[in-house]
Amino acid sequence: MKQKVLFFVLVLLCSIQVMAANLVIERYAGAEMVQDIALIGKWVFVETDLQLLDKEGNILATEPLANVRKIVFSNESTAVDNVEMGSIVVYPNPTQDMLYIKGIEAQTLRVFNLQGHVLQTTEGTQVSVVNLPTGTYLLQIGTQVVRFIKQ
């Protein structure tokens, strides 16, 4: 399991066009957690939590998955200053058949399961999830990762 999560992190980091300095976890409540990527050894999903671990395996931060709106890789000191991040909207969430992305031009969209496997890749501003089983997934939009639920 740990190897799959590490693989997922590596896939995401390798697909980023620029070298990001921070991992930003935006919460549904609006607050953000910003963590220096250089300090993060890996992240793991433990039951219903996301844990960020340092390179020795010590816990840097724990966040309940229910609180996570999206995960963003950013060069900004904080994500608040990044206008692009605030302008992207993924809806409806939860969804049954289609996810729409507002605030972007057509680009590559990747859907991951929580084990880090790429389930589908598409171009555009919408993703059909009708063939996915019910569950929680991650959608990568450029350098941003948004959690969504398929009902």
Side-chain angles (χ1 to χ4, degrees):
M1 175 67 175
K2 290 181 181 180
Q3 291 174 337
K4 290 180 182 178
V5 173
L6 183 56
F7 172 74
F8 174 67
V9 172
L10 290 173
V11 167
L12 286 177
L13 290 175
C14 290
S15 66
I16 297 174
Q17 303 283 319
V18 295
M19 194 60 121
N22 296 309
L23 173 81
V24 181
I25 298 175
E26 184 178 312
R27 299 177 180 116
Y28 281 106
E32 294 177 341
M33 176 175 47
V34 179
Q35 192 68 244
D36 184 345
I37 286 180
L39 300 177
I40 300 172
K42 63 181 171 180
W43 61 2
V44 294
F45 297 98
V46 180
E47 296 178 14
T48 60
D49 293 335
L50 168 65
Q51 288 186 347
L52 301 178
L53 306 176
D54 66 13
K55 292 175 176 123
E56 287 79 40
N58 301 310
I59 298 173
L60 294 171
T62 299
E63 188 67 35
L65 284 174
N67 294 347
V68 177
R69 181 172 168 266
K70 65 182 172 181
I71 300 171
V72 179
F73 298 95
S74 172
N75 281 325
E76 302 293 326
S77 57
T78 64
V80 175
D81 299 326
N82 191 339
V83 177
E84 286 184 21
M85 287 173 40
S87 63
I88 294 178
V89 178
V90 177
Y91 65 96
N93 191 7
T95 187
Q96 292 182 341
D97 54 5
M98 194 69 97
L99 272 176
Y100 300 93
I101 299 92
K102 183 173 135 184
I104 64 167
E105 298 294 321
Q107 63 179 281
T108 301
L109 307 169
R110 291 181 184 89
V111 176
F112 294 86
N113 62 18
L114 294 182
Q115 289 75 42
H117 298 114
V118 178
L119 302 177
Q120 67 186 81
T121 301
T122 188
E123 294 287 327
T125 59
Q126 60 188 31
V127 177
S128 173
V129 296
V130 71
N131 294 324
L132 296 176
T134 300
T136 302
Y137 298 91
L138 300 172
L139 174 66
Q140 180 186 10
I141 309 162
T143 60
Q144 298 187 37
V145 179
V146 178
R147 182 178 65 93
F148 72 92
I149 297 169
K150 164 66 180 351
Q151 292 183 328

